[in-house]
Amino acid sequence: MVLDDKKIIYGVFNTIIMKKIFAITISSILFINVIGQVSITKPDKKALKIAQSNLSKENYTEAFNMFSTLYSKYPQNPEVLFGIGVCKLNKRGEEKYALPILIEAYRNGTKSDDILFYLGKSYHYHHKFDEAQSSFEEYKTNNKISIPIAEIDKNIEMAINAKKQIRNARNLEIVNIGPSINTKNEESRPVVLPNGKGMFFTSRREVGFSNDKNFKGNYFQDIYFSEYKNYEWQTAFNEKVFNSKLNDGCVSISHDGSTLISYIIGDNSSKKTASLEGNLYYSTYSDSALWAAPTKFGSNINSEYQEESACFSLDKKTLYFSSNRPGGYGGFDLYKVKQLPNGVWGEAVNLGPIINTEHDEKAPYLHVDGETFYFSSEGHTTMGGFDIFKSYERANKYWSTPVNIGYPINTVEDDIYFTISEDNKTGYCSSDREGSLGGQDIFKIKMFDAANYQEVIHCSIFNKAEKKPVNAKITLIDEVSHQLKGIYRPNGSGKFIMVILPGVDYQIAIEAEGYNSRILHMNFPESTDLYTNYEFNLVKKEFKQ
């Protein structure tokens, strides 16, 4: 302990000395650079003020265009450099180019009181977390800061979280899913079919259903589909049945594959503000008619604000969704709503402060095990931007503390819209990380670090004589530990799924009114085909006259 204390004292002393040397060096550089700067003309001073006004209003595209024009005349001007650096830091795909520009602005003596804050954010993006933390902490000592202390502290916390997550990196492989799906445009929201044979996703493309653009110059969103065949994703096509002239996006699919949730968000391309309203829709699948046109959820789910991501529980009787309606904990919150016996959706309930924060929470996803709840958040222990977290709902009432699912699934960029396969071996997410073909892309995640892989088996239960579905109760028990592992009920077609561990001895108790009960003893091998169906049959009881 004494040795550690000495190291700490030495580290603090060394840091103080280095800061003083750094300050003297920077002062010298500032003096040299100021001498070499070209004086800005009166008309260009006016243009600079307009550019700075656009910057303060977060009109980054207009500000960047003006700063770029000024840069051609004044490449060493610190205020021009600062403006360009901040614009790049706030433009997707350009963030990595901000750091050298902001460093030069700092060396050239920018008058912006916020330079250290933006330097900190740029260092963070480049995984220079110690430099980021130092910049944020030094920025806090400035009496003229414009960034709230809470936001500065949040950035310091993200730097600490990022170091911890990278130090404990998970054993997995993440690859870009490829040009059959990803393009130079934005692709997001992977929705994989339960049988793994296809994927819906959302993209902004010039060949979309509408040629309109929003005020940022981006094409409206549409829903696309790619089939997985011969171990490859096929060229995606526009799923026109789901798309309109507005922004359309896929959200999730029910675990039985029969209901797709989508959203539509209005966007007036003639104005610099997007519509505040976005609504959730659902479409049902049938073998005869294929996918039906989207139907809007009712007013207990949709509001005059934005509802843009959602998922069903296994039985489709509960819907989890995100909304930025008033009354939440801040920004987008996660809610749940239960379906009443008459088929009408009840009142939406906020998931509470364990899940929701003062920041945005989006993209809920309930795993097929019925317990593991994934979502994305800009709060909690994020490394930066949106990170993916998981939690468990206890007794249908209490939530466990959300846990960051780790690096490199999560990065300092936005990582969102996570889904994971039934066997927990393969995941998908949207991210603008390194390796993207342009904007957000869809990435595949191969998990190698699970101690035990759960598998999901597909089952059905029928009347043996008539081959009709039976409404039964199926109880799964571990024969060694005698622990209850699950209670399952089939849907109207007699189909259900069970979550098991390969190689474990199970007792399966099947009960149904009017039928003879069955007790089975089974050990399931590791599946070579995840979609093998196990069929169980029941025999009606014979009643003596």
Side-chain angles (χ1 to χ4, degrees), residues 378-520:
E378 290 182 309
H380 297 293
T381 55
T382 176
M383 292 176 60
F386 279 102
D387 271 10
I388 300 158
F389 295 83
K390 70 177 178 180
S391 176
Y392 302 90
E393 190 173 19
R394 305 302 188 191
N396 201 30
K397 188 175 181 180
Y398 303 103
W399 291 97
S400 65
T401 301
V403 175
N404 189 308
I405 67 171
Y407 176 85
I409 296 177
N410 289 321
T411 66
V412 296
E413 290 89 28
D414 284 331
D415 307 290
I416 192 168
Y417 305 117
F418 177 77
T419 67
I420 190 167
S421 61
E422 294 178 347
D423 62 3
N424 286 308
K425 296 178 182 178
T426 305
Y428 296 89
C429 72
S430 305
S431 179
D432 51 7
R433 68 183 64 213
E434 194 75 26
S436 169
L437 302 184
Q440 276 204 341
D441 272 7
I442 295 170
F443 289 81
K444 180 179 180 179
I445 308 162
K446 295 181 180 179
M447 316 280 186
F448 302 126
D449 55 359
N452 291 300
Y453 284 124
Q454 289 180 319
E455 291 197 355
V456 174
I457 58 172
H458 295 247
C459 309
S460 57
I461 186 162
F462 294 101
N463 176 313
K464 185 174 182 179
E466 302 171 4
K467 286 295 180 181
K468 290 183 178 179
V470 178
N471 183 21
K473 175 185 175 183
I474 302 95
T475 304
L476 184 69
I477 297 172
D478 185 317
E479 287 204 313
V480 176
S481 67
H482 305 293
Q483 289 184 333
L484 175 66
K485 292 300 180 181
I487 297 175
Y488 304 93
R489 292 189 181 276
N491 61 20
S493 302
K495 296 179 180 179
F496 65 100
I497 54 178
M498 289 196 301
V499 181
I500 58 94
L501 282 173
V504 173
D505 293 323
Y506 290 104
Q507 175 183 293
I508 301 172
I510 306 174
E511 304 167 277
E513 187 176 352
Y515 290 83
N516 294 318
S517 298
R518 292 188 67 186
I519 301 292
L520 304 173

Side-chain angles (χ1 to χ4, degrees), residues 8 39 56 162 186 255 315 391 395 441 522:
I8 292 169
S39 298
S56 65
E186 179 183 286
H255 288 291
D315 61 4
S391 176
D441 272 7
M522 300 187 70

Side-chain angles (χ1 to χ4, degrees), residues 13 48 54 61 131 161 181 183 226 228 266 279 379 395 426 434 514 527:
F13 178 76
L48 179 61
N54 280 318
T61 301
E131 291 89 338
N161 291 338
I181 290 177
T183 67
S226 173
Y228 190 70
N279 293 303
T426 305
E434 194 75 26
S527 298

Side-chain angles (χ1 to χ4, degrees), residues 120-135:
K121 290 184 76 69
S122 294
Y123 280 128
H124 187 92
Y125 187 87
H126 283 267
H127 288 205
K128 296 178 180 292
F129 303 118
D130 290 333
E131 291 89 338
Q133 188 174 344
S134 295
S135 295

Side-chain angles (χ1 to χ4, degrees), residues 254-296:
S254 59
H255 288 291
D256 63 3
S258 67
T259 308
L260 180 78
I261 303 176
S262 61
Y263 72 90
I264 297 178
I265 297 179
D267 198 336
N268 191 331
S269 59
S270 65
K271 296 182 179 180
K272 292 183 180 179
T273 55
S275 167
L276 291 176
E277 186 173 357
N279 293 303
L280 292 168
Y281 290 72
Y282 64 93
S283 303
T284 55
Y285 182 87
S286 65
D287 291 334
S288 57
L290 301 182
W291 287 105
T295 300
K296 187 177 177 181

